[in-house]
Amino acid sequence: MRHAYRRHRGRLTGASDIANTLAKGGGGAPGLATTQFLGVPSRPADPECQAGLVALKSRSIPAGEAVEQSLAALAWLRQQGCLQIVFKYCSTFDATAEGNIGPVGEAIAAELGGRGVVACPAFPGAGRSVYMGNLFVGDVPLNESSLRHHPLTPMTDSDIRRWLRAQSSQPVGFIPWTTVSKGADELRAALAKCAAYCETLVIVDALTDEDLLAIGEACVEAPFITGGSGIAIGLPRNFLRAGLVETAQRTFRPVQGRGAILAGSCSQATLAQIAEHERAHPVLRLPVVEIVEGGVTAADVIDFVERNEGRAPLVSTSQPPGVVRALQARFGTEVVAHAIDSLFAEAATALVSRGLRRLVVAGGETSGAVASALGVESLDIGPEIAPGVPAVSTQNGRLALAIKSGNFGQVDFFARALAALEGTAG
């Protein structure tokens, strides 16, 4: 990792989200040659890598475990010569009072010797903004959005200052948009005051990409930043202006060949995307009850995909939130999740061994299970398919993937994604 920095936290999709931001760049500056690593690597990064991301499946695990994993990732990143670390979490914060965003942020800050650390999950490109410390999804406060029904982290309060204070052992600061809107110098001074008040993590308002660029400029010398993927918009520009990286980027390698889609997300966005895809393409909707009870197996998925070769087949376990809650109550949350993830992981492994070259996966947990089963260790980041979702390819160039969090993507995302993976997207 020649001169740049970077990151960790949540799931595979969350890492791809910020990887897309780094590879794309912003503020008139090109992006960086970005590689995403699945877990802490056991070997050094490629010297050509300008931004490296370590994806950890730590979003919902106990705080102590998340801190341990994150510090291991931090140690590896620093060994690669990283100059700036970003702790990335979901743009919808996805927290509980016992969550690990605060503990991980404070632990990394302690290692890097920092206070007055930005905490900003805003991602305007995906409809996430922070105003007066409250997180909005579109024009709706977080606690009035569909995230209030999230099965693992129901967001019942839009004020993320309260969530972060409940998790943190040290004072949490706040900088309003009226300060951010005055530019990088004012924001930098405000962060310095927060540090003087012994406030380690500081919620910072942001409504637009211009606000995020100002935050990036204010943090040009900051060793540590936290936030959603939007927080990285201005960071490549800092490194390019300082002459720390060259502008050459690794080229995404499109892949021709058979393609399929696996959808395990139950978000409203994914449900709408499945319905749209079904208008012109074959869709197999699997009953989760039968998956849990063993009536449906990976062989059924494989058979459906191969019978519909060339027609962008989609296999789904997605259900409305009420149905999901009923299934979880009946069988147990972990049992349901494990059954679905295992089914898709087994099916994906078999399909790739039989020659599948393009694979789209919807759902963070599902994506992680599939990538793990396929033995994917790292991914090269390609062009953006939708805000927060890039096309990616394995470093051996044999498989192209699009992996997305449930809430991301246009209504016709699945067709767009398969086209992007083979380089034919408009």
Side-chain angles (χ1 to χ4, degrees), residues 133-210:
N134 286 259
L135 183 55
F136 289 80
V137 177
D139 60 354
V140 176
L142 181 65
N143 62 306
E144 297 179 20
S145 74
S146 62
L147 274 299
R148 68 187 184 278
H149 299 307
H150 194 287
L152 297 178
T153 53
M155 301 307 296
T156 57
D157 188 351
S158 65
D159 192 330
I160 55 176
R161 294 171 296 183
R162 284 196 282 262
W163 288 115
L164 193 55
R165 285 167 184 160
Q167 298 176 7
S168 302
S169 62
Q170 300 171 31
V172 172
F174 170 61
I175 297 176
W177 181 81
T178 50
T179 299
V180 176
S181 66
K182 293 177 182 177
D185 290 341
E186 290 281 343
L187 176 55
R188 191 179 298 113
L191 288 168
K193 287 182 180 179
C194 291
Y197 294 148
C198 296
E199 295 168 343
T200 297
L201 300 175
V202 182
I203 297 293
V204 180
D205 280 353
L207 303 179
T208 66
D209 284 352
E210 286 69 28

Side-chain angles (χ1 to χ4, degrees), residues 257-329:
R258 295 162 53 190
I261 304 152
L262 304 177
S265 167
C266 296
S267 73
Q268 291 181 356
T270 298
L271 293 173
Q273 290 159 351
I274 293 169
E276 173 66 20
H277 195 76
E278 196 170 21
R279 296 174 59 183
H281 306 282
V283 171
L284 175 63
R285 296 177 181 270
L286 296 176
V288 175
V289 170
E290 293 188 28
I291 297 173
V292 174
E293 295 180 341
V296 171
T297 68
D300 298 298
V301 177
I302 297 164
D303 176 67
F304 175 79
V305 170
E306 294 190 334
R307 282 191 291 107
N308 290 281
E309 181 179 342
R311 300 177 62 201
L314 185 154
V315 180
S316 168
T317 61
S318 304
Q319 303 280 346
V323 176
V324 173
R325 288 193 294 273
L327 289 166
Q328 291 172 335

Side-chain angles (χ1 to χ4, degrees), residues 247-262:
T247 58
Q249 298 185 54
R250 183 174 300 166
T251 303
F252 169 74
R253 290 164 287 185
V255 174
Q256 306 292 319
R258 295 162 53 190
I261 304 152
L262 304 177

